[in-house]
Amino acid sequence: MTDGDLIVQDFRSAMQSKYGGKGVGFVSITSESAGSRSSISHHYSGNWKTQSYLNVKRPLKPFGVNGHVFFANDTLSNPWVNYKAGQGVHTSQLNNPTLFYGNSDNQEGELIVKTGKDTIVKKLSPEKLLNTLAISNTALKSFKASFHKADSIPIYGFNFDDGKGVHVDNFFQSRKFRFADFYV
């Protein structure tokens, strides 16, 4: 229910209406419930290597805040993810899309972003334990991100928020349920 944004989207919308803020927050690279979300359209290629706290005791790289880490391990076909803004009053744009990724010795990785007819190539610099890469400093309606030569770079997901007001993300912790993490 939290990963699919089924309950959290109503709570987020009410809080953002009262206190300000826009966007769905953090969205993982892949999700079993991506198809059930109405706050954001989320599609991805099937060639991601996924590790989860549910089934891996010693991950190749640290898990992200959502308990997963993803790797673009296909050298023949670039793994990709596609996001499109939802129809909600606070989710009708992808505000400040920012990639979160981890540390690696791989200095060749690139992020290829397609927005409409434009294509932007950005170099991944996986030097810190947690790195961010802004896709755009303006809101977008949709984009497709492909990962080229990014094997061994831990990829976590994208964040979408306007940096103001309330932001509510969807996280689930093992053995105890946390409805949502939010910050003001």
Side-chain angles (χ1 to χ4, degrees), residues 6 19 41 62 95 97 103 109 122 126 137 139 142-143 147 154 160 166-167:
L6 298 174
Y19 300 108
S41 175
N95 299 90
N103 180 274
K122 295 188 175 230
N137 57 1
S142 66
F143 71 90
F147 294 81
F160 307 101
V166 175
H167 304 284

Side-chain angles (χ1 to χ4, degrees), residues 40 49 59 141 162-163 177:
I40 190 170
K49 179 177 181 175
K141 288 290 188 185
D162 68 350
F177 178 79

